[in-house]
């Protein structure tokens, strides 16, 4: 559903339903395939379990967009059109029962996407979760794990309007800016940066398509899984 704008509450409900079903199978010593949901959200602000409202720069009673406090980790962030959100619902028992490893693996997916598809040198920052290019954060990660089943996930700014981030302190980090793939490609379009010249004339839809394809490919490689596109009755109801 990566081309669709899905209300946050609906996607959140899907995840919790799938997680509950997955845990019920585990309790019966059964299991089912992992699930990977990729979509865009209608404009929304979300907070993690320990988020401080001090990082919200508007009156929470008069929020410019819907505002949700969720059970994921991390601080306040923004989701909206042009941002690809990936929700992996996977049983870490079949991967590695290590939350640090899982977070670093999600970061690795994004780092590979930015390198392989856009020739961008992305990196981690010690002590922080997410992915940066230069001093700009392109991807945020916030997860929840219940009985070793993951949900929530990552959000990568592709063609996102970044102005809503000015209404918050994104992820509670005061001294770093957010960025997008489109914005960085535009900045480097007249430079000699390897590969960026190939993206000067593509539109937003094509940029989303390229990024989505790369995200799914790199996720499968990092987590060593095969993907079968099989819409769930839950998601199409």
């Amino acid at each position: 559903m990566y081309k669709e704008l899905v209300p946050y509450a609906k996607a959140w409900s899907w995840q919790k339903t799938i997680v509950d079903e997955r845990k019920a199978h585990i309790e019966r010593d059964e299991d089912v395939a992992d699930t990977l949901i990729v979509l865009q959200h209608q404009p929304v602000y979300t907070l993690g379990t320990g988020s401080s409202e001090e990082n919200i720069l508007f009156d929470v009673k008069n929020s410019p967009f819907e505002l949700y406090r969720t059970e994921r980790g991390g601080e306040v962030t923004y989701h909206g059109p042009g941002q690809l959100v990936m929700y992996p619902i996977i049983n870490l028992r079949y991967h590695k029962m290590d939350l640090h490893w899982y977070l670093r693996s999600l970061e690795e997916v994004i780092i590979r996407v930015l390198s392989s598809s856009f020739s961008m040198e992305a990196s981690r920052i010690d002590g922080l979760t997410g992915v940066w290019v230069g001093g700009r954060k392109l991807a945020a990660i916030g997860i929840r794990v219940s009985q070793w089943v993951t949900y929530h996930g990552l959000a990568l700014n592709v063609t996102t309007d970044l102005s809503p981030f000015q209404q918050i302190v994104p992820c509670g980090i005061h001294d770093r800016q957010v960025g997008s793939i489109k914005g960085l490609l535009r900045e480097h379009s007249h430079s000699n940066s390897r590969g960026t010249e190939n993206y000067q004339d593509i539109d937003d839809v094509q940029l989303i398509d390229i990024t989505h394809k790369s995200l799914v490919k790199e996720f499968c490689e990092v987590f060593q899984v095969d993907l079968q596109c099989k819409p769930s009755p839950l998601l199409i109801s």
Side-chain angles (χ1 to χ4, degrees):
M1 296 175 290
Y2 76 97
K3 294 184 179 182
E4 299 181 32
L5 292 180
V6 179
Y8 186 84
K10 179 178 287 188
W12 190 12
S13 176
W14 289 341
Q15 293 179 76
K16 289 186 285 188
T17 298
I18 295 170
V19 169
D20 287 345
E21 290 177 351
R22 191 73 186 270
K23 290 192 296 185
H25 280 285
I26 292 170
E27 290 172 1
R28 296 193 296 266
D29 291 325
E30 304 169 350
D31 211 355
V32 294
D34 292 327
T35 301
L36 184 65
I37 303 171
V38 187
L39 46 71
Q40 299 176 53
H41 279 308
Q42 294 174 356
V44 63
Y45 291 113
T46 69
L47 299 93
T49 51
S51 294
S52 170
E53 292 188 3
E54 292 179 359
N55 291 318
I56 297 174
L57 307 180
F58 54 81
D59 181 356
V60 295
K61 296 180 181 178
N62 189 30
S63 175
F65 306 119
E66 289 187 306
L67 178 67
Y68 293 98
R69 183 174 288 278
T70 77
E71 67 277 271
R72 67 162 173 81
E75 268 289 349
V76 62
T77 195
Y78 164 77
H79 300 302
Q83 181 192 77
L84 286 177
V85 180
M86 177 179 277
Y87 294 128
I89 303 173
I90 64 176
N91 187 344
L92 290 180
R93 292 175 177 84
Y94 298 112
H95 297 272
K96 192 171 183 178
M97 295 164 68
D98 183 328
L99 300 190
H100 179 79
W101 170 86
Y102 180 58
L103 288 168
R104 302 295 81 77
S105 295
L106 291 179
E107 291 169 347
E108 181 65 20
V109 170
I110 301 160
I111 289 170
R112 291 188 183 193
V113 168
L114 295 173
S115 175
S116 64
S117 294
F118 304 107
S119 300
M120 293 182 182
E121 187 175 347
S123 62
R124 302 175 176 89
I125 294 179
D126 287 344
L128 300 176
T129 300
V131 175
W132 282 260
V133 175
R136 299 183 188 180
K137 188 172 187 178
L138 267 66
I141 296 174
I143 66 166
R144 178 77 175 186
V145 178
S146 179
Q147 297 180 28
W148 295 109
V149 176
T150 70
Y151 59 121
H152 295 284
L154 65 85
L156 174 59
N157 295 326
V158 185
T159 62
T160 324
D161 173 11
L162 301 179
S163 60
F165 285 102
Q166 297 173 7
Q167 301 275 353
I168 59 175
V169 180
C171 302
I173 304 172
H174 290 266
D175 58 347
R176 295 184 184 272
Q177 297 180 319
V178 293
S180 69
I181 292 173
K182 179 181 179 180
L184 289 175
L185 289 175
R186 182 185 295 139
E187 287 182 14
H188 295 292
S189 63
H190 301 297
S191 72
N192 293 323
S193 298
R194 179 173 57 88
T196 56
E197 64 274 7
N198 297 327
Y199 296 96
Q200 290 183 41
D201 300 321
I202 67 172
D203 60 25
D204 286 7
V205 172
Q206 291 172 303
L207 197 54
I208 290 286
D209 286 342
I210 291 166
T211 308
H212 167 260
K213 182 178 180 180
S214 186
L215 264 174
V216 172
K217 172 181 177 291
E218 300 297 347
F219 180 88
C220 290
E221 290 188 2
V222 169
F223 286 91
Q224 293 293 289
V225 295
D226 295 321
L227 181 70
Q228 294 182 334
C229 294
K230 186 178 180 181
S232 165
L234 173 70
L235 304 187
I236 60 177
S237 61

